[in-house]
């Protein structure tokens, strides 16, 4: 035990030091590159890509900012791929923010009706079958559709 003991301790020290070293190297890498983040579980996460229509695609979640423009929702045709989660985030702050009953979004075929408020301004659901999903504002003047592509 007197011979083995110090040996085991040194192995522990080496392991601990190399772990600290690796963490430092990885952290340094993350600070430099904006494209890839190594998560704690070792899985790479991709930064969101901004599409021309302002939609953000991130993993299997598509995030779309929902605004008010020309007396309707903007965008009012929202494309999502089957199997993706769609996260509609209501704009409540900008010059094109949702106003009045447009802050209440109804998606009848999904049984969704929600008032978007500060701190709780998103609607998220899984687009699990292809087709068109109509949505309206609280009073039905504003309309749009979510097109789920196969
Ligand atoms: Cu309305």
């Amino acid at each position: 035990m007197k011979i083995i003991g110090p040996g085991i301790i040194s192995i522990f020290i080496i392991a601990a030091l190399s772990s600290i070293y690796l963490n430092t190297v990885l952290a340094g890498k993350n600070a430099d590159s904006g494209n890839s983040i190594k998560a704690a579980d070792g899985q790479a996460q991709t930064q969101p890509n901004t599409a021309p229509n302002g939609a953000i695609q991130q993993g299997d979640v598509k995030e779309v900012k929902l605004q008010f423009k020309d007396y309707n929702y903007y965008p009012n045709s929202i494309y999502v791929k089957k199997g993706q989660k769609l996260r509609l985030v209501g704009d409540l702050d900008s010059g094109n923010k949702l106003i009045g009953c447009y802050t209440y979004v109804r998606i009848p075929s999904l049984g969704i009706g929600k008032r978007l408020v500060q701190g709780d301004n998103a609607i998220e659901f899984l687009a699990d079958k292809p087709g068109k999903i109509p949505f309206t504002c609280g009073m039905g003047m504003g309309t749009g559709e979510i097109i789920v592509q196969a």
Side-chain angles (χ1 to χ4, degrees):
M1 224 26 217
K2 271 187 182 158
I3 303 164
I4 297 169
I8 288 173
I9 289 167
S10 335
I11 289 169
F12 271 118
I13 291 170
I14 290 166
L17 286 177
S18 26
S19 158
I20 290 167
Y21 172 74
L22 280 176
N23 285 338
T24 313
V25 169
L26 286 177
K29 249 189 179 173
N30 288 344
D32 291 340
S33 122
N35 291 327
S36 174
I37 296 167
K38 268 278 197 283
D41 60 4
Q43 279 193 317
Q45 294 178 339
T46 323
Q47 291 290 72
N49 300 314
T50 307
N53 62 355
I56 293 169
Q57 216 144 347
Q58 188 171 35
D60 64 343
V61 180
K62 179 165 185 174
E63 190 169 298
V64 175
K65 190 195 276 185
L66 197 59
Q67 297 181 305
F68 177 75
K69 216 176 192 175
D70 299 328
Y71 304 101
N72 202 0
Y73 284 111
Y74 177 84
N76 61 3
S77 292
I78 296 167
Y79 293 86
V80 62
K81 291 216 167 67
K82 182 186 164 229
Q84 259 185 330
K85 259 190 189 167
L86 178 64
R87 185 174 157 81
L88 288 173
V89 180
D91 179 354
L92 302 174
D93 301 301
S94 84
N96 292 312
K97 69 181 176 194
L98 300 174
I99 52 163
C101 64
Y102 284 81
T103 60
Y104 192 92
V105 178
R106 293 182 63 230
I107 312 178
S109 62
L110 301 178
I112 294 174
K114 183 174 176 177
R115 168 86 57 196
L116 305 178
V117 294
Q118 297 286 354
D120 187 14
N121 64 333
I123 291 171
E124 193 174 298
F125 65 90
L126 179 70
D128 56 356
K129 49 181 181 227
K132 291 180 177 179
I133 303 171
F135 64 92
T136 69
C137 69
M139 293 174 72
M141 307 104 69
T143 59
E145 59 185 14
I146 297 151
I147 298 108
V148 184
Q149 298 169 310

